Amino acid sequence: MYAAPRSVRHRLLDVRFLWIAFLGAQVLLTLINIYGTKVNPIGDIKNVYIEWARQALSGNFPGVTVDFVYPVFAMAPVLLAAIFGLGRYIQMWFVMAVLLNCIGMAILLRDEEPFSRDRRIMAGWVWTLLTYFLGPIALSRIDSITVPMAVVAVVWLSTRPRTASALLALATWIKIWPVAVITIALVSTTWRKTVFTVGAVVSAILVGASAIFGGFRPVLSFVTQQTGRSIQIESTYAVLYNWGAVLRVPGFRSYYNRQILTVEVAGPGVNFWAAASTPIQALAAFFVVGITLLIVRQRRPDILAQLLPLATLGLVLALIVFNKVGSPQFMCWLVAPLLLGVLMRTDDWFPIMFVCAGATLLTQQIYPYFYSSFFPASAWLVFLQSAKMVLLLIAFCMVSVRLVRLYRSGVQPATAVVESSPAAGRSAAVEG
């Protein structure tokens, strides 16, 4: 195996060098977002988020007094960016996003049990590279706010389970995807009671406080707000329709849905796939959770170090790959599960990580740089989209095969239960 020169290894393990690279990514992407007028990556901030803030400040609070597309705590960062007025909203959004990322990186790099210093630095480099690969959307979406929260949560899950559980619960009430981390923690770790209790308390406070001022309907409206939407142009299901548009097949086209401010596809069978996407996604999620439960029942400490990262990444991939929306910012969801695998030294993790990283790099090319080539559909752009979806499907299959092999490798169920102490380290204690 090729070994990096000593000077290179020394530089890569230098925390100062890592911080320079990480801060460089934050500054570069902030500048692209604010001044990249040709690619306009901040459309959601200046056209959507700022309007939500204005609406809330005028008394019509999304998720409290009026229906809202996201969970109600998503309004926290939306309003926080308006702390110095709407005139500086865009700038303050990026100050907030960069500050949260820096806090997350600082916590990740703290030399604490159960993860070694080298593993933390390696995870820091992975986060840095993924930030460069994701491009502007790494900072310019609500999803961006949940990334450092989830990173800190997976770092603290074994040593500060209450704080980690609270962070995951709050992140879920910003954007629903961290429920994947919560679900796997509930079914596979000895911290399940803490995760459930803290999550329930946080949810009860948010729902109760919102219901007092506006009733239960607005705070729960995000559950049904997107059920009736069609297939978004960036999703897996849209690839066939985009190729139909490229080949000028009659009926295959894209259009702008002004009601939800997004581009969707049209063509034969589109309504069927829009309706079928939810049960397909549910089946993929049930598979990951089901095989995880079967492995947990075997109570085999020798493989439990592999389970938490694999199952978490598998469930997150299920939420991305089989989603009829497929927005580019969904790729931010991969960061925390990928870092978890690095920290826990999951076997053969880097091939999976490289496939996911390739998909994130393609995402940046699709959005924002060549996104306008969807109108009309360009063969080159649809090829990039197809390659991205193939990589994501490969990653999901790789994780699924690994999970099945973990299950099949269990000949006799073990009787010992590994405790969730720092001494358990990378084994991520699992209990049947």
Side-chain angles (χ1 to χ4, degrees):
M1 181 181 294
Y2 172 77
R6 184 183 299 271
S7 59
V8 174
R9 293 200 303 270
H10 177 75
R11 188 68 61 88
L12 291 176
L13 292 176
D14 188 335
V15 174
R16 294 170 299 179
F17 189 60
L18 171 57
W19 269 112
I20 291 172
F22 186 72
L23 291 174
Q26 308 300 308
V27 172
L28 175 64
L29 296 182
T30 296
L31 293 175
I32 293 174
N33 272 296
I34 294 177
Y35 299 108
T37 55
K38 292 184 177 180
V39 293
N40 189 33
I42 58 171
D44 280 15
I45 297 176
K46 66 181 183 181
N47 297 324
V48 181
Y49 302 167
I50 193 171
E51 291 304 318
W52 288 342
R54 182 178 286 112
Q55 187 178 359
L57 294 172
S58 68
N60 294 319
F61 202 107
V64 177
T65 59
V66 295
D67 290 353
F68 192 34
V69 70
Y70 291 149
V72 66
F73 201 63
M75 287 301 297
V78 167
L79 285 173
L80 188 59
I83 191 170
F84 293 117
L86 298 180
R88 299 179 180 178
Y89 191 87
I90 295 175
Q91 292 82 356
M92 288 308 302
W93 178 275
F94 291 103
V95 170
M96 173 181 63
V98 170
L99 181 60
L100 287 173
N101 282 338
C102 289
I103 292 173
M105 179 62 81
I107 292 173
L108 172 64
L109 295 178
R110 289 181 64 181
D111 192 12
E112 295 181 343
E113 291 289 343
F115 308 119
S116 69
R117 177 180 179 275
D118 288 359
R119 279 287 151 176
R120 288 174 178 271
I121 293 175
M122 187 180 298
W125 278 113
V126 171
W127 189 2
T128 300
L129 291 175
L130 288 174
T131 302
Y132 280 109
F133 287 179
L134 285 165
I137 60 165
L139 297 178
S140 61
R141 295 294 187 272
I142 282 181
D143 307 64
S144 314
I145 306 302
T146 64
V147 171
M149 297 174 70
V151 169
V152 173
V154 299
V155 170
W156 279 353
L157 194 55
S158 65
T159 56
R160 298 177 177 86
R162 291 186 182 86
T163 306
S165 300
L167 284 171
L168 287 173
L170 289 173
T172 299
W173 279 98
I174 293 175
K175 201 68 185 287
I176 195 65
W177 77 266
V179 75
V181 186
I182 293 174
T183 301
I184 299 303
L186 284 173
V187 301
S188 67
T189 72
T190 56
W191 320 299
R192 62 169 63 94
K193 291 181 181 178
T194 300
V195 173
F196 177 81
T197 302
V198 173
V201 170
V202 170
S203 299
I205 292 172
L206 289 174
V207 171
S210 301
I212 289 173
F213 294 99
F216 286 102
R217 176 181 170 177
V219 72
L220 300 176
S221 60
F222 73 94
V223 177
T224 58
Q225 278 285 299
Q226 302 197 46
T227 54
R229 68 188 300 172
S230 188
I231 295 175
Q232 191 165 308
I233 198 168
E234 299 102 327
S235 70
T236 304
Y237 305 97
V239 171
L240 176 63
Y241 294 93
N242 289 332
W243 277 117
V246 168
L247 299 174
R248 299 185 180 180
V249 177
F252 288 77
R253 62 183 180 87
S254 62
Y255 65 95
Y256 186 69
N257 187 329
R258 295 188 178 278
Q259 183 177 1
I260 57 176
L261 307 177
T262 192
V263 181
E264 299 178 338
V265 296
V270 71
N271 291 332
F272 168 79
W273 287 111
S277 63
T278 299
I280 291 173
Q281 186 183 55
L283 285 173
F286 286 149
F287 165 76
V288 174
V289 175
I291 195 71
T292 301
L293 283 169
L294 290 175
I295 296 170
V296 168
R297 291 184 63 186
Q298 294 177 337
R299 299 190 177 187
R300 297 164 53 218
D302 59 312
I303 62 170
L304 298 182
Q306 319 302 318
L307 180 58
L308 189 58
L310 281 170
T312 302
L313 179 60
L315 191 51
V316 169
L317 282 168
L319 296 180
I320 297 174
V321 175
F322 304 104
N323 196 310
K324 66 179 177 181
V325 178
S327 297
Q329 60 265 28
F330 290 3
M331 298 298 290
C332 296
W333 306 353
L334 296 173
V335 173
L338 290 175
L339 298 195
L340 183 60
V342 174
L343 290 169
M344 299 184 70
R345 298 176 180 269
T346 304
D347 293 343
D348 299 323
W349 190 248
F350 282 87
I352 297 173
M353 190 169 63
F354 288 151
V355 173
C356 291
T360 63
L361 186 58
L362 288 174
T363 298
Q364 181 178 179
Q365 306 312 307
I366 297 168
Y367 184 89
Y369 298 117
F370 299 109
Y371 191 72
S372 61
S373 296
F374 272 130
F375 321 107
S378 157
W380 169 243
L381 184 63
V382 178
F383 172 78
L384 291 180
Q385 182 192 27
S386 303
K388 170 191 169 181
M389 294 308 170
V390 168
L391 288 176
L392 289 174
L393 283 168
I394 290 173
F396 180 75
C397 291
M398 291 172 73
V399 171
S400 299
V401 169
R402 289 285 310 281
L403 287 171
V404 171
R405 286 178 177 173
L406 281 177
Y407 171 69
R408 294 182 63 183
S409 65
V411 179
Q412 293 285 338
T415 58
V417 177
V418 181
E419 294 299 328
S420 59
S421 64
R426 54 187 286 265
S427 64
V430 178
E431 180 177 78

